[in-house]
């Protein structure tokens, strides 16, 4: 889907509305939705050409001061520098030579006109807000969510519930 009408993610832009509405209702469901923190701060620092990915969260590369550019929402997206696609299992589908079949948006602006997205093997690039890329929702679970079974592997995923 397209990113929206501004480089700054919010719960009311195109992606934010989908993630915090239809995604929660039709893909996650009420029982799991109730386990997600209702209000998470998402850091929206700009990472331009040749600058450190740390600027997606901090005002400088030392990592001592958080950026003041933030949004609050239940569900967001990964920032540049967080779990990139090169760390996901690659599967070859639809004739893909890379193993990846969908590029996906991050929360990270490149500048006032472009937003960062992830493509081939975890490499980040940027494009216009009107481009349609995939989404990898990001969320925080409430502190009283407990693992009831599973070991977190693909063959035995965690089962969770409110404690």
């Amino acid at each position: 889907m397209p990113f929206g009408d501004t480089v700054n993610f919010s719960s009311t832009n195109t992606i934010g509305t989908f993630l915090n509405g239809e995604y929660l209702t039709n893909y996650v469901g009420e029982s799991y939705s109730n386990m997600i923190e209702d209000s998470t701060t998402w850091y929206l620092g700009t990472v331009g050409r040749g600058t450190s990915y740390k600027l997606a969260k901090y005002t400088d590369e030392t990592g001592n001061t958080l950026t003041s550019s933030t949004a609050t929402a239940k569900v967001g997206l990964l920032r540049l520098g967080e779990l990139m696609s090169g760390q996901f299992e690659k599967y070859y589908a639809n004739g893909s030579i890379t193993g990846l079949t969908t590029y996906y948006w991050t929360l990270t602006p490149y500048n006032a006109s472009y937003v960062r997205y992830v493509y081939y093997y975890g490499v980040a690039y940027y494009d216009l807000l009107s481009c349609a890329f995939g989404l990898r929702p990001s969320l925080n679970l409430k502190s009283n969510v407990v693992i009831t079974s599973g070991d977190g592997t693909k063959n035995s995923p965690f089962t969770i519930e409110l404690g």
Side-chain angles (χ1 to χ4, degrees), residues 36-119:
I36 302 170
E37 282 293 339
D38 292 318
S39 182
T40 294
T41 300
W42 302 97
Y43 296 94
L44 309 174
T46 299
V47 178
R49 184 179 197 100
T51 57
S52 173
Y53 71 89
K54 291 181 181 181
L55 298 177
K57 186 173 181 180
Y58 302 102
T59 58
D60 60 33
E61 294 180 29
T62 63
N64 292 326
T65 307
L66 295 171
T67 183
S68 60
S69 182
T70 62
T72 304
K74 188 166 186 161
V75 181
L77 297 170
L78 298 170
R79 284 188 310 270
L80 186 66
E82 294 181 314
L83 191 63
M84 304 307 269
S85 68
Q87 296 168 298
F88 286 92
E89 180 179 340
K90 294 174 179 51
Y91 26 124
Y92 293 79
N94 302 324
S96 170
I97 61 170
T98 65
L100 302 175
T101 56
T102 304
Y103 301 164
Y104 65 91
W105 289 114
T106 70
L107 284 179
T108 308
Y110 174 77
N111 61 23
S113 301
Y114 298 95
V115 175
R116 294 282 191 169
Y117 68 93
V118 176
Y119 74 117

